[in-house]
Amino acid sequence: MLGKGVVGGGGGTKAPKPSFVSYVRPEEIHTNEKEVTEKEVTLHLLPGEQLLCEASTVLKYVQEDSCQHGVYGRLVCTDFKIAFLGDDESALDNDETQFKNKVIGENDITLHCVDQIYGVFDEKKKTLFGQLKKYPEKLIIHCKDLRVFHFCLRYTKEEEVKRIVSGIIHHTQAPKLLKRLFLFSYATATQNNTAADPKNHTVMFDTLKDWCWELERTKGNMKYKAVSVNEGYKVCERLPAYFVVPTPLAEEDVQRFQGHGIPIWCWSCHNGSALLKMSALPKEQDDGILQIQKSFLDGIYKTIHRPPYEIVKTEDLSGNFLSLQEIQTAYSKFKQLFLIDNSTEFWDTDIKWFSLLESSSWLDIIRRCLKKAIEITECMEAQNMNILLLEENASDLCCLISSLVQVMMDPHCRTRIGFQSLVQKEWVMGGHCFLDRCNHLRQSDKEEVPVFQLFLDCVWQLVHQHPPAFEFTETYLTVLSDSLYIPIFSTFFFNSPHQKDTNVHQRQLSLPLTQSKSSPKRGFFREETDHLIKNLLGKRISKLINSSDELQDNFREFYDSWHSKPTDYHGLLLPHIEGPEIRVWAQRYLRWIPEAQILGGGTVATMSKLLEMMEEVQSLQEKIDERHHSQEDPQAEPPCLLRNSARLSSLFPFALLQRHSSKPILPTSGWKALGDEEDLAKREDEFVDLGDV
Amino acid sequence: MWWGGRGQSFNIAPQKEEPEMGSVQGSRMPELRSRHLSGCLASRCLPGEQILAWATGVRKGLEPELSGTLICTNFRVIFQPCGWQRSQETPLSSEYDFALVNIGRLEAVSGLSRVQLLRPGSLLKFIPEEILIHGRDFRLLRVGFEAGGLEPQAFQVTMAIVQARAQSSQAQQYAGITLSKAGQGSGSRKPPIPLLETSEDWETERKKQGARGWRVSTVNERFDVATSLPRYFWVPNRILDSEVRRAFGHFHQGRGPRLSWHHPGGSDLLRCGGFCTASDPNKEDIRAVEAMLQAGHSDVVLVDTMDELPSLADVQLAHLRLRALCLPDSSVAEDKWLSALEGTRWLDYVRSCLRKASDVSVLVTSRVRSVVLQERSDRDLNGLLSSLVQLLSAPEARTLFGFQSLVQREWVASGHPFLTRLGGTETSEEAPVFLLFLDCIWQLLQQYPAEFEFSEFFLLALHDSVRVPDTLTFLRDTPWERGKQSGQFNSYTQVYTPGYSQPPAGNSMNLQLSVWDWDLRYSNEQILQFHNPGYDPEHCPDSWLPRQQPSFMVPGPPSSMWLFSRGALTPLNQLCPWRDSSFLLAVSSRWLPRPAISSESLADQEWGLPSHWGACPLPPGLLLPGYLGPQIRLWRRCYLRGRPEVQMGLSAPTISGLQEELFHLQELLRKWTPRISPEDHSKKRNPNTILS
């Protein structure tokens, strides 16, 4: 019913093409306004979510290529998200809904996911912030998950433009109070119905029992003890209520410098050596205090240098290893490679892809992190040393390196539950300042450093190089990285466990993927997709570390020797760090770029084949079992996950909607040169004839 | 399994001799022991092969180090590990066999600092402690020699290699050597892939493609139209052989327009050489040329093949740079690797080939028309482009059989100068266009892991075969030379063939062998790995039903003519450059600027207008490759073979593992219930039946 037409003079940033095509002419909109608003798509609000402002007749560009097609609809801003509601939502079919994210729709942007907002004024792109004097004709939103949205406001009423633009800018850019996070409205509105499945349980490390369990699991309980000295955050607000220290350490020592300067246990290796971390003592000018600090540290070192403790090697991570500043700069350069405003821009940079990639040095930073983790692994595994990680607050690179070491050394951390427990232990309880590092409150851009993102990228390298060693797939990591910006999960929205405990009274959610399946709103994807997220082959990880390597005395030898032997996926796992081996996490970074789509190809093609074969194996096994028991009715076909969804694209499951068919009409310019209308009509006829024969 | 998740190269380590496997190895008798060197050195020589020198040494650079013997023959260099016995079936496929022509660089090392690069004819200045053999196929062999009185041997074997290399590069004297299996070689042996040396082969293929408006022309049966053309090719039905002969004379090297492939939807893909701008054809000739280009369609697109693709010199330079970069001692720092890789431009060229092939397949598929690939020589990039287009558009071409036939037709029979391009002659025209082609296919394989019946290992085997001098497939420049050597003109002794001489007596039979006789070089176990376990039989050829083809022969001149260049179609006034003096095409189209909207792919232009393809415009079976920077990858298993540390853990054979489990379970079930097996659809992809 909606007419298709050509609207002249769209405003692109560089205006490479003077035309775009839309489903609806603006005139039509104005005459049919009532009708349109009556049939409009309803906005889905989460419990506690409130609509703040909205604007109608907004044109959202479809970034298929440089020709600018668009869809008309409503742009709304709530206290949780910015959403675009297209007028034409009929396109959704089964496949598409099956793999839809349950919380965030295709056109939803959570407020925390907004990275930069640009306005286009007379073809010029400007960053938008603060109070605006003039309102743009086009709004470009760059998201932290690297999506880019273009909204044309040319056909929107002026007061609506003012309201929506200033609303969006205010709610995404202005500094916020912690109490105003959507998390709290959501938590108040929903009942506390997290019935944790005891079998599928992520260890939260918020009780003494959890720590004892971890000590027991790693056999660290001989030399280390869980302490409750910080219960109620009496000692300091930086540390969790419970943590683990060497057994002989006195509780007074912990209190002495508010938890600074004491070795805190992270993990124990099967050979008894342990990974410890320590936050530096406060820097002092006074010689007297320095003297006191020195003697305190001497005492501490004496304790952990004495048998039964292994030799301690100190790794100072705040020294010359890697600075937060470097990570920030590299990532902001790196992400620009993927935040593409229009395809022309993309093709311009595409020629120099490798050198641009290299100059961002993001991959090199990943390499350095992996290398550091291998060095530490070598010390622990081969030289039987204890490693003491030292950092100013022990909450950034300490978290990164210690969790990387554990992923490499402890196969338990390569299961989904184990990995989630690890994140909970090292990052959440380790006091990583998610709130500041993600800049959720927009209080300081300087503090925004993607340390956790860097960690996920390092883990991705391992997953990519050794897929059978992990229970989860890269899709899991991608979804996890997205959940950093979804403020219904409390996990990544606090700077410390203390901050969380003082702000949240009821025990709230943990990581998104641990949701019980009973509540449809909670889980991230529908259950069917869990197959994809959970690497089925990883199920077979059950064995523990079995063999220890011979003693090697340097890194290179350790590294080469490990790589020259067959990989034991249930044991120690080292990444390759040579030049060609560190790769771009294509799924996360390229998923929104339609040009990067390979229809019917990509790893998902292998994955669907794999699933199909596993189903077959399963059904054969069932048949065999049947023969052992009795002659029963043949089993119904197992549900086919992917078979019915025709050709999936390489961007699956993130960009199922980006099909070639979504392109309504060809831009005229391409064909204008080719001949007059009559000619075209003739050829069209010829074509139809052939098709019909 | 041999790969076990590590796979340092395609080659399977030779089986260790184990007494309990005696039943299999009963036939393995070292009957051809020409010289008795030592107990462990039981190498069988090939006919005509002589051992020149040998020395004991240790294979280095890879854990564990292997001790064995380094042998130099007049044909190859072999490292034979102690106590390992190679399988009799595979004389030249071991990890440690280097055909002399394959040796790209030879270095002798003494101590930590003395390194001498040994060129053919150079003299060794010291007794080597270690010798490094770099293969042109990116392999590397490092052998250390043991001290203690054996130095003279080390010296001798090194010098022998140097001399043998010098001799081998002077003449193609090993072309006569065939590696046919002992006791095999009956004349009635049917080649596994039609070699397209007979008109029957061409007729069969024509029928298979359903090219009804075409016929097999015998005009070049005596190679008097062009020696670089096959003896038979396809021309439009209506064109007489005399017209063909005259028309072809107006093309560079006599390579006029011929059908490459007939699309089931009705389009035709043609290839031809450049127009001879110097010739002055008469009216009839021009009409014949036009009719051949038009091929009965009303819509004709001339594709300037060379446009936007690398020149031969570019390809050669990029390949040399790539090889230098991938050398194990490459001095590129890890954090500079990416820009160094970019600097080779190899991936850039791969990308432009894919991009162009993608565009051309859209042209062929989107509407019924004649698409003519035109390259001046018609012997290099035309073959590459035409094969890629077929791989993208035709599921048959993605099967093992289809792909091998494709290479045989578009490369071997069409006269790609393999010998020259792979550096077999002393000319400067070396350019590994074929290897560039293999890289393009590898990219497709990466992007579409379920669409190809063959595996990466098959591509590697093909990659490694181009320098193995056992069959004539890749050792001649033209079909004429190939035919001359194999003596297939015996029945045409009266035929005039320039420079024709009697074939060497006695070996004509063996020369019928082609590279597709994989069992010459690879064991059955290896051949099984040519099969891609992830190949999805749901996309197999018989499910791809082409639309009915109308009778498309349209009389009269074409209603629209286009030149496809710089990613866009430009209207042409005429197909041939001669009628007016405007020299439309001869001036080349290089001055045509690429349209600013370069991002708008041809697929959008072509399919955007009438959406005849329905909701999903891509016709089934058509693959559109990704050619963005991040999507084009380095073929590590091929190019980084010299760097074992990078090769480790390359493959995680999860699909193969599952498949094994599947076979095992099916076997189990079949034993118990014999009636289930017939419907078992996995039987279809049993790898044992593929190559038979």
Side-chain angles (χ1 to χ4, degrees), chain A residues 17 65-66 343 346-347 350-355 357-358 363-364 367 465 467-468 537 540 563-567 576-581 583 590 595-602 605-606 609-610 612-614 616-617 620-621 623-624 627-628 643 647 660-661 663 666-667 671 673-674 680 683-684 686-688 690-691 693, chain B residues 6 63 298 334-339 342 347 351 355 366-368 447-451 533-535 537-538 547-548 550 560 562 569 571 597 599-600 604-606 608-610 612 615 617-618 622-623 627-633 636 640 645-646 648-649 652 654-655 658-659 661-662 665-666 668-669 672-673 681-682 685:
Chain A
K17 296 290 284 303
D65 42 53
S66 64
S343 306
F346 182 74
W347 287 107
D350 192 48
I351 314 278
K352 307 186 90 186
W353 162 254
F354 282 119
S355 37
L357 186 61
E358 186 180 282
L363 295 189
D364 195 46
R367 188 199 332 278
Q465 292 177 13
L537 293 165
R540 295 169 193 186
H563 281 298
S564 65
K565 287 185 194 120
T567 310
H576 296 270
I577 55 168
E578 289 86 4
E581 300 299 321
R583 305 269 206 99
L590 290 173
E595 282 86 353
Q597 174 161 259
I598 300 168
L599 208 63
T606 328
K609 170 85 183 174
L610 207 68
E612 198 185 295
M613 288 176 72
M614 292 211 47
E616 219 172 310
V617 167
L620 283 178
Q621 248 156 3
K623 273 186 196 161
I624 288 174
R627 288 200 52 81
H628 273 298
R643 205 173 293 152
R647 276 180 121 186
H660 284 253
S661 60
K663 210 173 306 175
L666 169 98
W671 276 95
L674 304 183
L680 283 180
R683 232 170 296 127
E684 207 170 329
E686 174 193 292
F687 204 87
V688 175
L690 292 171
V693 173
Chain B
R6 351 233 32 251
E63 297 275 326
S298 64
E334 270 156 14
D335 57 335
K336 296 283 172 231
W337 161 263
L338 291 173
S339 52
E342 183 178 270
L347 294 185
R351 176 214 296 240
R355 179 175 182 151
S366 58
R367 58 193 65 209
V368 177
Q447 296 181 7
Y448 293 98
E451 300 283 346
Y535 182 53
E538 272 171 67
R547 290 170 301 144
Q548 266 299 316
S560 60
W562 314 96
L569 292 169
I597 34 128
S599 58
E600 198 173 310
D604 302 333
Q605 293 180 36
E606 282 277 309
L609 196 66
H612 288 299
L618 285 186
L622 178 66
L623 310 180
Y627 42 74
L628 304 183
Q631 288 171 327
I632 302 296
R633 312 230 298 256
R636 294 186 301 167
L640 296 180
E645 77 278 5
V646 182
M648 294 303 168
T654 46
I655 285 202
L658 265 179
Q659 202 168 36
E661 194 169 335
L662 208 58
L665 284 172
Q666 278 163 355
L668 213 64
L669 210 61
W672 291 344
T673 35
H681 80 282
S682 62
R685 48 186 136 108

Side-chain angles (χ1 to χ4, degrees), chain B residues 262-579:
Chain B
H262 177 76
H263 188 276
S267 287
D268 288 302
L269 181 68
L270 284 76
R271 58 187 281 184
C272 70
F275 298 114
C276 277
T277 47
S279 65
D280 183 20
N282 61 31
K283 260 192 170 160
E284 271 108 80
D285 287 2
I286 290 181
R287 199 173 304 138
V289 168
E290 279 180 347
M292 293 179 81
L293 293 174
Q294 188 187 346
H297 294 280
S298 64
D299 190 17
V300 183
V301 178
L302 283 187
V303 177
D304 182 356
T305 300
M306 272 127 63
D307 159 64
E308 291 195 298
L309 292 190
S311 71
L312 293 179
D314 291 341
V315 174
Q316 170 68 0
L317 187 62
H319 195 253
L320 287 176
R321 283 189 185 141
L322 180 70
R323 216 152 72 196
L325 177 68
C326 296
L327 280 179
D329 55 354
S330 146
S331 53
V332 176
E334 270 156 14
D335 57 335
K336 296 283 172 231
W337 161 263
L338 291 173
S339 52
L341 182 61
E342 183 178 270
T344 67
R345 306 213 61 198
W346 179 260
L347 294 185
D348 211 19
Y349 297 152
V350 168
R351 176 214 296 240
S352 46
C353 290
L354 286 176
R355 179 175 182 151
K356 187 131 188 171
S358 164
D359 282 350
V360 174
S361 31
V362 167
L363 285 174
V364 171
T365 320
S366 58
R367 58 193 65 209
V368 177
R369 53 162 59 121
S370 158
V371 178
V372 187
L373 305 178
Q374 192 172 34
E375 184 196 9
R376 194 174 137 76
S377 73
D378 180 35
R379 293 174 68 183
D380 294 296
L381 295 171
N382 258 5
L384 180 138
L385 206 52
S386 139
S387 328
L388 277 182
V389 169
Q390 294 178 49
L391 279 164
L392 290 175
S393 333
E396 298 94 333
R398 293 175 223 138
T399 62
L400 263 168
F401 179 85
F403 178 69
Q404 297 178 65
S405 318
L406 180 72
V407 172
Q408 182 69 26
R409 187 155 42 87
E410 295 294 337
W411 293 84
V412 182
S414 293
H416 174 67
F418 278 106
L419 189 63
T420 307
R421 294 291 178 257
L422 296 170
T425 54
E426 291 301 299
T427 56
S428 56
E429 288 173 354
E430 183 175 342
V433 183
F434 187 66
L435 304 185
L436 181 66
F437 169 63
L438 293 183
D439 197 322
C440 292
I441 305 171
W442 181 83
Q443 307 286 346
L444 293 177
L445 220 64
Q446 293 305 296
Q447 296 181 7
Y448 293 98
E451 300 283 346
F452 291 85
E453 193 190 20
F454 50 88
S455 65
E456 179 177 12
F457 301 117
F458 173 75
L459 289 182
L460 263 183
L462 194 54
H463 182 272
D464 293 351
S465 298
V466 298
R467 291 183 217 279
V468 177
D470 60 343
T471 62
L472 287 178
T473 309
F474 296 136
L475 284 179
R476 289 294 173 269
D477 276 347
T478 62
W480 172 70
E481 285 171 51
R482 208 173 282 119
K484 190 177 68 172
Q485 187 83 36
S486 68
Q488 52 168 276
F489 309 143
N490 287 343
S491 51
Y492 296 93
T493 40
Q494 307 306 314
V495 169
Y496 165 73
T497 45
Y500 175 75
S501 60
Q502 276 306 117
N507 59 0
S508 60
M509 178 188 64
N510 286 335
L511 289 164
Q512 290 283 7
L513 293 169
S514 70
V515 72
W516 315 122
D517 294 286
W518 291 109
D519 49 358
L520 288 183
R521 268 160 284 115
Y522 293 96
S523 68
N524 288 336
E525 194 195 6
Q526 285 170 312
I527 289 173
L528 283 184
Q529 312 303 334
F530 290 178
H531 183 252
N532 169 16
Y535 182 53
D536 196 343
E538 272 171 67
H539 292 225
C540 71
D542 38 319
S543 73
W544 190 54
L545 292 171
R547 290 170 301 144
Q548 266 299 316
Q549 178 199 340
S551 64
F552 61 94
M553 285 298 177
V554 184
S559 61
S560 60
M561 296 174 286
W562 314 96
L563 175 69
F564 180 71
S565 182
R566 312 253 134 183
L569 292 169
T570 340
L572 279 179
N573 294 324
Q574 54 184 44
L575 285 174
C576 306
W578 303 297
R579 194 171 290 166

Side-chain angles (χ1 to χ4, degrees), chain A residues 493-513:
Chain A
F493 280 83
F494 293 100
N495 277 337
S496 65
H498 164 258
Q499 191 183 29
K500 182 182 165 186
D501 282 359
T502 48
N503 284 288
V504 184
H505 298 298
Q506 74 240 70
R507 196 172 153 188
Q508 248 261 330
L509 310 173
S510 57
L511 290 172
L513 285 161

